[in-house]
Amino acid sequence: MPGAETFRASADAYDRHVGRYGASLAAALIEFAGIEPGMRALDVGCGPGALTAVLAERLGEANVRAADPSEPFAQACSTRLPGVEVVVAAAEALPFADNTFDVTLSQLVINFMSDPEAGVREMARVTRRDGVVASCVWDYAGEMTLLRAFWDAARDIEPERAAIADEGVVMRWCGDGELAELWRGAGLREVRFGQIVARASYKNFEDLWAPLTTGVAPSGAFTKSLDDEGRAALHDAYRSRLGVGEEPFELTARAWAVAGIAP
Ligand SMILES: C[S@@+](CC[C@H](N)C(=O)[O-])C[C@H]1O[C@@H](n2cnc3c(N)ncnc32)[C@H](O)[C@@H]1O
């Protein structure tokens, strides 16, 4: 799980970085999973609560629970959504009884788990028979524009170091069809695999760049590891790869999505 420790950073920096796509991605994942009013849902690896918030809006806070092993993120989620029970726990050891939820979801988490096979088995265990287990991960190697352009720019300025940190290379379960294999291996039935697209708006390039300098996420950790000169070179290469500057702009980001029926 390359980079899992980089999520110990502040929830605010996360929200301004990848979290900016969270609500839009959550709406697409909820639609893909076929979630309906009245369901009880668990959000695994909730982070500061992007998916949890949309679930709570659709299902009511009392019908939603959330878990994350990062204390600051779990705390941020709990503060944001006081009616949702948020626990500090990893997917591999969920503190819930068998058959507790109608639907168990995770958004952008599978590739950060230490043991994804065990994590998905746990997600299936806490889901009732015939309930839904669904997830999504970024298409890091392709059309997650923010991160693809970042690693391409990083490779422009530090080819060797960036090549071994590039999330398009190091992240498992993020290739076309890979999540479906993981779902079937965990005993889930009627597995569906597809793509969903999220969007985010930026005031200008500096609005996009600022959170990276805090060290959040693997891309932020790489940015922070550079000296001042290297960071300035990355800043310019990244802006040029995105072809943006002082004007507002929008980026799209593709994620792979999977859903299956619990045994
Ligand atoms: C990219 S963030 C996604 C957060 C949130 N789901 C969202 O959509 O914004 C990845 C999250 O996975 C969490 N995480 C890392 N390892 C995990 C594990 N083994 N089980 C559950 N969550 C994990 C991190 O703490 C972090 O909150």
Side-chain angles (χ1 to χ4, degrees):
M1 36 65 212
E5 71 292 346
T6 59
F7 293 107
R8 302 287 183 271
S10 91
D12 174 61
Y14 179 79
D15 280 345
R16 289 182 294 124
H17 182 40
V18 179
R20 209 183 283 246
Y21 296 79
S24 157
L25 187 64
L29 178 61
I30 285 170
E31 189 182 338
F32 184 87
I35 293 177
E36 288 168 8
M39 287 182 163
R40 292 158 303 155
L42 172 66
D43 179 9
V44 174
C46 59
L51 172 61
T52 326
V54 183
L55 286 170
E57 204 179 278
R58 308 264 177 109
L59 306 177
E61 290 193 347
N63 287 320
V64 179
R65 293 194 193 167
D68 199 290
S70 157
E71 284 201 39
F73 278 5
Q75 185 58 52
C77 184
S78 182
T79 304
R80 194 170 289 181
L81 299 160
V84 173
E85 183 190 333
V86 184
V87 297
V88 177
E92 293 86 343
L94 292 170
F96 301 107
D98 297 0
N99 306 312
T100 304
F101 302 98
D102 299 305
V103 58
T104 302
L105 300 157
S106 75
Q107 175 165 296
L108 310 176
V109 178
I110 298 290
N111 50 303
F112 293 108
M113 290 180 187
S114 343
D115 185 346
E117 286 88 351
V120 179
R121 275 198 309 272
E122 272 291 89
M123 290 173 70
R125 179 187 66 75
V126 301
T127 307
R128 71 162 168 79
R129 185 181 165 79
D130 296 332
V132 176
V133 179
S135 289
C136 63
V137 294
W138 289 131
D139 173 19
Y140 291 101
E143 295 179 33
M144 195 315 175
T145 311
L146 173 80
L147 296 176
R148 188 63 262 138
F150 175 87
W151 290 112
D152 288 342
R155 281 166 170 256
D156 290 343
I157 61 131
E158 282 261 9
E160 282 175 24
R161 283 190 53 223
I164 54 170
D166 182 343
E167 292 166 284
V169 176
V170 299
M171 290 301 186
R172 284 193 70 203
W173 309 113
C174 298
D176 192 353
E178 284 187 307
L179 279 182
E181 195 187 310
L182 185 62
W183 253 231
R184 288 190 195 101
L188 291 154
R189 294 184 282 113
E190 296 169 45
V191 174
R192 291 183 290 117
F193 180 84
Q195 47 177 284
I196 55 180
V197 175
R199 298 187 145 68
S201 302
Y202 298 89
K203 285 187 268 188
N204 50 37
F205 177 74
E206 298 311 321
D207 186 28
L208 177 151
W209 172 256
L212 285 162
T213 60
T214 68
V216 69
S219 44
F222 184 87
T223 305
K224 207 172 170 185
S225 75
L226 299 171
D227 59 19
D228 289 349
E229 198 183 330
R231 226 176 351 264
L234 177 62
H235 171 279
D236 293 352
Y238 193 13
R239 190 175 52 188
S240 147
R241 284 243 171 217
L242 286 169
V244 299
E246 301 308 314
E247 300 301 317
F249 61 93
E250 186 183 88
L251 296 182
T252 57
R254 176 165 77 175
W256 302 117
V258 68
I261 303 296

